[in-house]
Amino acid sequence: MAVPMFGRAIRMVYQEVNENKYVSNWIGEVFKDVETEKKRLISNRDLVRVRLEATDHKTDMVSDDVFLWLKEADILIPEVENLTLQVRRRQWNEFRKLLKKITTLNMKCDFQPFSIPIPSLEHFSSGNIVSFKSREKASDQLLVALQDDNSSIIGLYGRQGSGKTTLVKAMGEKVKFLKMFSKVVFATVSQNLNIRTMQEEIADSLDIRFDKNSEAGRARRIFSTIESMIRPILVIFDDVQVKFDPEDVGVPCKSNRCKILVTARCQQECDLMYCQRDVQLDPLSKEEAWILFEKHSGIHDEDCSSSPDLSNVAREVAFECEGVPRLIKDVASSLRNKPIDEWKASLDSLKHSMAKWQIFLSFRGEDTRYAFTGSLYQSLRQGGFKTFMDDGGLETGDQISPSLLNAIEASRLSIIVLSENYANSTWCLDELVKILECKKLKNQLVWPIFYKVDPSDIRHMRKCYGKDMARHENRFGNDSERVQKWKSALVEVCNLSGMAYSIGYVIYFCLLCSIIFILFEGLRIVKK
């Protein structure tokens, strides 16, 4: 019995050897196939990455299939490498599955399409935005900021009428198209802050029904809804003019479920909202302004070629709008099919209303800077008037600086605060001469304020004004042309209609501001 059992054992050993040999051969062949497909997959992945990097993401949106394929390839390649480190008989099935996965993935890398063109801003705004470089520049900067994980609050600022609201609404449609956000929520802030109104706008967009009526209860409901969303949303607070806390409305400020975009008229208002990134919306260039003006005025090159006067006036009108889209559209539309006389009248009005500075303050710094004039300046600014007041660091010599001369020429109204030591400063006297020249040559307005001084003392060079002018005569000479201009200017300004500082400060100040407002309304000056 021993011999047959020994023979059976020999046969079993022989059979096992053959089987192992077969397994080894099979694994060897499969291993070669896996290695070949793995190398092919690595090559395909690298090619896809190169193509992805070469894509201009400002103009083209890469297909989701590309990112899914890359993600799957990055998972599968390490899995193959780990499995081939230790070949065991129990890994037969794993090798079969891996080979099938790699082969299938290699067959899927011919993407159709790899990317699609991103429509222009014009498309996303339903034609309300012309795709100018200045708009595209702000759009690109906003897109980068919205993709930045470190920026939860982003600000877009620009002057009134520059098109901020139109741009952010278009951007809202664009980021939804790019699948960056699942929803875009819009709420208007303005100067009269109303938390409940903003909450209602947001709730309407998110299909929220409030079960509590208090602002705090509504805020909690909005907050919990946003935090529970699967994909992030974008909340746009439009026309921010006062500081507020978005969380009082119910919008989380530091959450991966939400980003906040605010629009404001100046960078300081963005700073009040603690924006991590600010984007400025620049005015249109002259070329862009003319294209937009042509579109809304109906004027064309052939019209201009037949009437050179109309051509010159039309372009001046377009450029006087200072690149503000809303003003360009309104002015252009109002002048459509109108006679050239109306174009000229509109041009004259624009030159006054769009002056860089509406009001120039001329004053003696040490007398009134931190009292009357400083308070006047703040009130005029708060009233919306573009007011020039030097910062106290401009007086570096006897001659008035070019910056002050330019500010005077660019203003519509000059307010001269004639205080006790006004004539002591050669700078103030040079300002006065320049102001009166602009009154004569540019039809500018001049309003003197006699601050604790008698106009007759100025006119007849008495008291402080007499002493100061005598000192200037000694320094520059009695017959100095400059001194003679100063004397003539002081006499002339005393003959202008103005106001004397003689009543209570608060009452006087309110009266002053009222007169200025009435004055500008009468001239149809646009406050910016």
Side-chain angles (χ1 to χ4, degrees):
M1 294 295 293
V3 173
M5 289 182 65
F6 178 74
R8 197 178 303 122
I10 292 293
R11 284 195 300 274
M12 288 176 65
V13 170
Y14 179 77
Q15 185 178 355
E16 187 175 348
V17 169
N18 284 337
E19 285 181 3
N20 286 335
K21 184 178 179 182
Y22 171 76
V23 169
S24 297
N25 290 338
W26 186 89
I27 290 179
E29 291 299 320
V30 175
F31 182 81
K32 287 179 182 178
D33 292 341
V34 170
E35 280 294 306
T36 301
E37 287 296 320
K38 184 187 78 172
K39 289 177 181 178
R40 184 180 165 208
L41 181 60
I42 291 172
S43 176
N44 285 334
R45 180 196 62 182
D46 293 342
L47 288 172
V48 171
R49 284 178 175 173
V50 169
R51 191 174 176 187
L52 185 62
E53 289 175 3
T55 302
D56 187 347
H57 297 280
K58 293 179 183 178
T59 59
D60 293 278
M61 183 176 75
V62 177
S63 169
D64 288 343
D65 292 339
V66 174
F67 296 105
L68 290 172
W69 186 92
L70 280 172
K71 185 178 180 180
E72 193 172 346
D74 286 338
I75 293 172
L76 192 54
I77 290 169
E79 188 179 338
V80 174
E81 290 173 340
N82 289 335
L83 191 61
T84 54
L85 289 175
Q86 293 181 336
V87 179
R88 295 287 186 268
R89 183 172 180 175
R90 65 175 182 274
Q91 294 175 315
W92 284 14
N93 289 332
E94 283 84 349
F95 266 95
R96 287 176 180 171
K97 290 177 183 177
L98 278 177
L99 182 59
K100 185 176 180 180
K101 281 183 181 179
I102 300 172
T103 305
T104 303
L105 202 57
N106 276 323
M107 293 173 63
K108 287 182 178 179
C109 71
D110 185 19
F111 304 100
Q112 295 297 333
F114 187 87
S115 63
I116 58 173
I118 300 173
S120 66
L121 274 178
E122 225 167 325
H123 168 83
F124 292 116
S125 69
S126 302
N128 290 325
I129 292 178
V130 179
S131 295
F132 293 129
K133 286 184 179 178
S134 54
R135 312 297 98 173
E136 294 288 352
K137 175 186 173 185
S139 169
D140 292 344
Q141 290 175 336
L142 283 175
L143 194 59
V144 171
L146 289 169
Q147 291 170 331
D148 183 2
D149 292 335
N150 296 318
S151 300
S152 56
I153 305 179
I154 298 144
L156 173 70
Y157 67 94
R159 62 186 296 179
Q160 187 177 9
S162 59
K164 300 181 297 296
T165 302
T166 305
L167 178 58
V168 293
K169 285 184 175 180
M171 284 300 299
E173 294 302 314
K174 183 172 182 176
V175 294
K176 283 196 292 185
F177 173 83
L178 295 174
K179 300 178 183 177
M180 291 171 56
F181 300 96
S182 58
K183 281 183 176 287
V184 176
V185 179
F186 190 92
T188 304
V189 181
S190 298
Q191 192 168 10
N192 300 319
L193 183 67
N194 191 317
I195 297 293
R196 295 180 71 86
T197 300
M198 289 191 284
Q199 289 175 331
E200 286 167 7
E201 286 186 79
I202 293 171
D204 186 56
S205 298
L206 297 178
D207 296 323
I208 295 174
R209 297 294 176 266
F210 292 120
D211 51 6
K212 298 191 183 219
N213 199 37
S214 67
E215 286 182 6
R218 288 167 165 237
R220 286 192 295 271
R221 181 78 173 88
I222 293 172
F223 192 97
S224 62
T225 300
I226 293 174
E227 286 293 323
S228 64
M229 299 188 78
I230 298 173
R231 295 184 58 215
I233 69 167
L234 174 64
V235 179
I236 299 173
F237 288 114
D238 188 44
D239 197 17
V240 173
Q241 299 181 44
V242 292
K243 181 182 179 180
F244 72 98
D245 187 347
E247 294 197 355
D248 289 342
V249 183
V251 178
C253 293
K254 296 178 181 178
S255 170
N256 58 4
R257 300 293 88 201
C258 173
K259 272 190 186 283
I260 298 172
L261 174 59
V262 305
T263 71
R265 299 181 186 182
C266 64
Q267 190 172 15
Q268 289 78 5
E269 288 166 345
C270 291
D271 293 340
L272 288 176
M273 297 299 294
Y274 302 109
C275 296
Q276 287 97 15
R277 294 279 290 270
D278 293 336
V279 175
Q280 182 176 7
L281 183 57
D282 295 323
L284 300 180
S285 67
K286 284 191 174 183
E287 181 183 353
E288 292 170 342
W290 177 243
I291 292 171
L292 187 64
F293 191 85
E294 279 186 308
K295 177 181 177 181
H296 290 275
S297 67
I299 194 168
H300 300 290
D301 287 334
E302 54 266 27
D303 301 320
C304 293
S305 60
S306 61
S307 174
D309 285 345
L310 178 60
S311 172
N312 294 332
V313 173
R315 287 186 180 274
E316 279 195 71
V317 169
F319 300 156
E320 282 295 335
C321 292
E322 294 188 350
V324 180
R326 186 194 300 171
L327 185 61
I328 292 171
K329 292 176 185 178
D330 291 346
V331 172
S333 300
S334 69
L335 291 174
R336 182 182 282 267
N337 300 322
K338 294 293 177 63
I340 192 170
D341 288 344
E342 290 198 34
W343 286 75
K344 290 179 178 179
S346 180
L347 175 61
D348 185 58
S349 177
L350 280 169
K351 282 182 176 179
H352 291 158
S353 66
M354 298 304 291
K356 181 177 180 181
W357 303 106
Q358 290 178 324
I359 302 173
F360 179 90
L361 292 179
S362 178
F363 64 101
R364 181 66 168 128
E366 62 188 36
D367 284 357
T368 64
R369 178 186 301 281
Y370 302 110
F372 173 78
T373 307
S375 299
L376 173 62
Y377 172 76
Q378 291 299 330
S379 290
L380 291 172
R381 292 279 292 175
Q382 289 171 7
F385 292 101
K386 296 178 285 187
T387 306
F388 182 93
M389 175 179 175
D390 81 66
D391 61 7
L394 297 177
E395 295 191 32
T396 57
D398 282 337
Q399 297 297 321
I400 186 170
S401 71
S403 61
L404 285 181
L405 291 173
N406 291 336
I408 293 169
E409 290 180 352
S411 299
R412 175 58 182 149
L413 165 67
S414 289
I415 297 178
I416 305 166
V417 183
L418 293 155
S419 59
E420 187 177 16
N421 295 301
Y422 185 89
N424 182 266
S425 167
T426 58
W427 276 59
C428 288
L429 293 170
D430 282 340
E431 281 180 13
L432 178 62
V433 171
K434 182 65 177 180
I435 287 168
L436 294 175
E437 283 180 2
C438 289
K439 175 181 179 294
K440 186 182 298 182
L441 299 175
K442 293 177 173 268
N443 198 30
Q444 291 182 0
L445 302 170
V446 179
W447 192 8
I449 295 175
F450 301 98
Y451 182 80
K452 299 182 179 180
V453 294
D454 189 331
S456 64
D457 288 339
I458 300 175
R459 185 182 296 110
H460 298 292
M461 307 294 166
R462 295 193 298 243
K463 297 183 178 179
C464 290
Y465 278 78
K467 292 177 183 178
D468 288 332
M469 293 313 298
R471 184 171 57 83
H472 295 320
E473 286 176 348
N474 289 333
R475 181 182 177 189
F476 298 104
N478 282 334
D479 298 327
S480 166
E481 183 180 356
R482 192 177 180 194
V483 172
Q484 293 306 314
K485 283 184 177 181
W486 291 343
K487 286 183 176 180
S488 298
L490 287 170
V491 172
E492 183 179 347
V493 77
C494 288
N495 293 327
L496 298 177
S497 297
M499 183 173 286
Y501 182 92
S502 59
I503 57 179
Y505 178 79
V506 175
I507 298 173
Y508 163 75
F509 199 76
C510 293
L511 178 62
L512 173 63
C513 290
S514 298
I515 292 174
I516 292 175
F517 271 81
I518 293 169
L519 175 65
F520 272 87
E521 282 297 319
L523 288 165
R524 294 186 300 165
I525 298 290
V526 180
K527 293 182 295 179
K528 293 293 175 186

